[in-house]
Amino acid sequence: MIPFSREGNLVTARLEPGETAVLAALAGQLIELLDERAAESPTDVLLAQLGIGGASAPPLDPALARLLPDAYRDDSEASSEHRQLTELGLVDRKIANARAVVATLNGGMLVVLDPPAAQSWLRHLTDLRLVLAARLQIEGDGDAGSGDDRMLDLYDWLGYLQGTLVECLE
Amino acid sequence: MSRTLETPLDSPLDTLQQLADQPWVTIVWNDPVNLMTYVSYVFRSYFGHSAEEAQRLMLVVHNEGRAVVASGGREEMERHVEAMHDFGLWATLSKESS
């Protein structure tokens, strides 16, 4: 892998074929996770078209709960109301970011990102790391995480990749 | 003839309005996942903070566990919180005093 670097308005990276395959698979899993959540929402078609009518309770899955947190810390009623109005929109945008990332992987090993694609990558890499951290039980600063070594390596690799992307956008 | 008051007293409605206008704040909480450079980037690109201010706020989040990153009306703070959730940052809103 050659990490992200900037060329004018674009940022580019060169990934190994195995790395693009992993990113595509992870994006697919994230989309599935979010799709399932959206499908559970007790909504009607009209409200869904407006992006509202989402679930009223936070997800039970800790990974999803971290992707879709409560907006109020000590007010479950206000959180619930806010969630119904905003969660479906948030889910849609996270899915759109995942799809935008997958679209940039279609060109093979060279990844070329224009500014909107770079923004999708930033957010999507964050979402992937939040999900992996929940699975690895990384809950506080300094937690090394427990679980599959390959998953830990993946978590670190995604962090490295994201770090180089952030540097390009500084 | 009696003189009128030159400065009108605040009406009770004004007082109520002032209470209702009590600022809300957006709080970003520390998490072990997000990179310090990324959090700083979000504060700069989304809130338009200078590099120094973004760095300072990021360090407050990191060292103290949370930082107030914006204040204002409730609806505006709800929009900020939603935007932070888009970025994958852990954010909540509350009344300023709490």
Side-chain angles (χ1 to χ4, degrees), chain A residues 66 69-73 82 86 90 93-94 119 122-123 126 129-130 133 138-141 155 159 162-163 166 169-170, chain B residues 24 29-35 37-38 41 44-45 62 74 78-79 81-82 85-94:
Chain A
R66 183 57 189 79
D70 276 342
Y72 294 82
R73 193 171 168 87
H82 186 262
T86 61
L90 189 57
R93 292 190 298 275
K94 287 182 186 296
Q119 290 298 318
L122 267 186
R123 289 164 174 76
T126 302
R129 294 184 75 247
L130 290 171
I138 295 171
E139 286 159 3
D141 281 343
Y155 176 74
Q162 192 187 24
V166 173
L169 303 175
E170 294 285 348
Chain B
W24 287 70
W29 300 84
N30 189 42
D31 72 68
V33 178
N34 279 308
L35 306 174
T37 53
Y38 177 63
Y41 170 80
R44 215 170 55 246
S45 67
H62 183 69
R74 182 175 184 171
E78 286 193 330
R79 283 197 299 276
V81 164
E82 196 179 346
H85 294 172
D86 271 326
F87 279 108
L89 267 57
W90 178 23
T92 58
L93 70 151
S94 59

Side-chain angles (χ1 to χ4, degrees), chain A residues 166 170, chain B residues 35-46 49-59 89:
Chain A
V166 173
E170 294 285 348
Chain B
L35 306 174
M36 293 167 86
T37 53
Y38 177 63
V39 174
S40 208
Y41 170 80
V42 170
F43 291 166
R44 215 170 55 246
S45 67
Y46 177 79
H49 289 314
S50 66
E52 292 73 23
E53 177 64 2
Q55 176 82 359
R56 188 189 69 78
L57 283 172
M58 178 277 290
L59 286 172
L89 267 57

